[in-house]
Amino acid sequence: MDFEFSEEHSMFRQAIRDFAENEVAPIVDQAEEDEACPTELFSKMGKLGYLCPGYPTEYGGGGLGEIGTCIMVEELARVCSGITSGLMVQSGLSTLPILAHGSEEQKQKFVVPAIKGDKIFAYGLTEANAGSDAAAIETTAKKDGNYYIVNGSKIYITNGQICDFVTLAVLTDRSQGSRGISTIIVEKGAPGFSTSKMRKLGHHSAATAELVFEDCRVPCDNLIGEEGRGFRYMLEALNSARISHSARSLGLAEAAFEASLKYAKERKQFGQPIGSFQAISFKLARMATEIEAAKWLLYRVAWLYDQGEECRKEAPMTKVFSSEAAIRIAEEAMRIHAGAGYLAESPIQRYFRDAILYHITEGTTEVQELIISRQLGL
Ligand SMILES: Cc1cc2nc3c(=O)[nH]c(=O)nc-3n(C[C@H](O)[C@H](O)[C@H](O)COP(=O)(O)OP(=O)(O)OC[C@H]3O[C@@H](n4cnc5c(N)ncnc54)[C@H](O)[C@@H]3O)c2cc1C
């Protein structure tokens, strides 16, 4: 057994940590206050080769595998989970179906500019009546000559209002149920495609939108892979995204813990640092333990994924553990900081609001438990 990161991975961690501290941290407060994603980060990271570290070098990616993607997401999420979410969708969820199943022409046309950060991608699966039951989508794509005519809407879409392209799940054959779902790429600006911002409790610096398609014409050349296999492509991308999602939970948990440890040593009440009270020190001990467990669960799963394993049980397991741990840790950080954490200018209240989302995205905790229990033969 080898528990060391490779030299390449360690160097990448240091580089991305420096980037997060120097380029991202100074703009977090403004982005959160404006409720606007700082889109310039896509091209900045693309130019440095940091945007899609897990993708093959032949397309301009970093060639660092899922471990590389997790390092990028963990380090950015220590600074801001909201900003991380759009970058994370770009580096996996939205572009992976094209990388895995698209034609060479599609990879050159869509994935290469996404890796460079010249184009922003979104992933459109969820609808008003199709959340956990994602196969229940109602957005249709009917063929008309060399075009699909798309009608329907998607909600909660990360990067929705800032994207250039959306990887979209549509029904091409309603009679076939989930086998009638296909995945197509829709370009922003296509006639009949509009977006509207959705406001949220947390992740204010992430762009989230409703997408509406009204007789929107999309070239048939934008079909990914084969018709009727789109649901599989979307779920495959989701399964892999659960791993990087866990890295986001870990990064936020680490930030909340580090701030709490520092505060517990500095803040004095009853003439002594609050960290000397067992009620506080035991909280910190538990937080540190959960972070350690989440870290090694995550990087083992990422390693397994890089060995070619599908991780159908392990990916949801790490997602459940790390997201629930991050939610607990963010709440404990709030208790340790008390009034000081509740103030609008404190990052602690942001961690608290942001962490709650982890239970929902990339499939809720209950849905992950459903997937795990099915893998257990139940
Ligand atoms: C900020 C944000 C960003 C998002 N980004 C994207 C994106 O980029 N692209 C995209 O396509 N989607 C995105 N989503 C959607 C997200 O994936 C869904 O919200 C999620 O899958 C849950 O669906 P739902 O909200 O409709 O909840 P529902 O499915 O309505 O679930 C409600 C409750 O019922 C429980 N439940 C449902 N079914 C079962 C079951 N069978 N067994 C046990 N419990 C069950 C759930 O766990 C939950 O507690 C985003 C959501 C948010 C909030």
Side-chain angles (χ1 to χ4, degrees):
M1 290 178 93
D2 185 356
F3 289 103
E4 292 296 318
F5 284 102
S6 70
E7 200 186 334
E8 239 184 334
H9 284 134
S10 301
M11 280 167 62
F12 178 61
R13 184 183 291 282
Q14 191 55 55
I16 197 81
R17 181 171 291 193
D18 291 346
F19 180 85
E21 282 168 8
N22 298 328
E23 304 288 334
V24 184
I27 59 174
V28 169
D29 288 345
Q30 198 62 52
E32 286 280 309
E33 198 179 320
D34 296 346
E35 296 190 15
C37 172
T39 50
E40 69 275 13
L41 287 178
F42 286 82
S43 49
K44 267 193 187 178
M45 287 184 63
K47 279 198 182 76
L48 291 164
Y50 295 169
L51 193 50
C52 295
Y55 281 2
T57 48
E58 63 185 291
Y59 296 111
L64 295 172
E66 192 62 23
I67 294 179
T69 306
C70 289
I71 289 172
M72 181 265 260
V73 172
E74 180 191 348
E75 292 300 329
L76 291 172
R78 285 164 73 106
V79 172
C80 180
S81 184
I83 289 176
T84 307
S85 61
L87 298 164
M88 199 179 95
V89 164
Q90 177 94 350
S91 70
L93 196 55
S94 62
T95 46
L96 197 57
I98 313 170
L99 188 69
H101 302 287
S103 63
E104 188 53 37
E105 199 185 334
Q106 288 174 333
K107 289 178 201 174
Q108 294 297 337
K109 184 173 173 191
F110 299 111
V111 180
V112 170
I115 293 174
K116 284 187 184 153
D118 293 340
K119 298 289 179 192
I120 297 178
F121 261 83
Y123 169 94
L125 177 63
T126 307
E127 300 182 3
N129 293 321
S132 300
D133 184 9
I137 62 163
E138 293 163 352
T139 297
T140 53
K142 289 204 177 110
K143 256 196 183 149
D144 178 22
N146 291 332
Y147 287 85
Y148 286 109
I149 309 297
V150 182
N151 279 289
S153 63
K154 301 282 173 181
I155 54 171
Y156 311 138
I157 305 306
T158 304
N159 293 344
Q161 67 272 47
I162 58 166
C163 73
D164 298 289
F165 298 106
V166 54
T167 302
L168 192 75
V170 288
L171 269 178
T172 42
D173 185 351
R174 195 185 287 276
S175 68
Q176 296 295 312
S178 67
R179 285 166 198 257
I181 294 175
S182 305
T183 305
I184 58 172
I185 304 158
V186 184
E187 192 165 353
K188 187 80 167 282
F193 175 20
S194 60
T195 64
S196 53
K197 176 177 177 171
M198 300 179 93
R199 299 193 63 204
K200 320 177 284 295
L201 169 71
H203 284 78
H204 288 166
S205 49
T208 309
E210 179 180 6
L211 315 182
V212 176
F213 304 92
E214 291 167 308
D215 290 331
C216 175
R217 290 173 80 78
V218 178
C220 289
D221 285 349
N222 286 13
L223 172 76
I224 301 173
E226 290 172 46
E227 264 194 16
R229 296 181 75 83
F231 193 57
R232 209 194 91 199
Y233 304 159
M234 295 303 262
L235 290 195
E236 264 176 26
L238 258 185
N239 193 49
S240 138
R242 283 178 187 132
I243 304 175
S244 46
H245 187 287
S246 306
R248 184 161 57 134
S249 304
L250 175 63
L252 179 143
E254 286 170 328
F257 167 73
E258 283 159 17
S260 302
L261 183 63
K262 185 167 180 284
Y263 190 72
K265 288 177 180 171
E266 287 168 4
R267 171 73 174 165
K268 285 192 177 140
Q269 286 292 279
F270 302 96
Q272 42 189 313
I274 58 168
S276 67
F277 305 130
Q278 202 176 68
I280 300 290
S281 66
F282 277 20
K283 279 189 198 303
L284 287 158
R286 178 159 286 276
M287 288 156 88
T289 306
E290 290 198 81
I291 285 170
E292 201 61 17
K295 192 184 297 172
W296 294 112
L297 188 53
L298 167 70
Y299 283 103
R300 178 179 173 270
V301 177
W303 177 82
L304 276 178
Y305 189 84
D306 285 341
Q307 305 309 303
E309 301 274 337
E310 286 187 68
C311 299
R312 286 184 189 212
K313 182 173 65 179
E314 295 83 357
M317 279 175 167
T318 187
K319 204 247 160 190
V320 170
F321 186 83
S322 59
S323 55
E324 296 297 323
I327 293 167
R328 279 192 299 274
I329 288 167
E331 189 186 348
E332 292 294 52
M334 185 64 105
R335 286 171 190 262
I336 291 169
H337 284 78
Y342 198 71
L343 292 180
E345 61 262 30
S346 167
I348 302 300
Q349 55 80 28
R350 171 162 58 84
Y351 302 149
F352 184 72
R353 287 184 289 107
D354 285 353
I356 294 291
L357 180 69
Y358 299 156
H359 153 74
I360 304 170
T361 40
E362 267 79 331
T364 64
T365 294
E366 290 79 10
V367 167
Q368 306 309 301
E369 286 168 345
L370 195 70
I371 300 169
I372 297 164
S373 53
R374 281 190 186 144
Q375 293 292 320
L376 297 175
L378 296 166

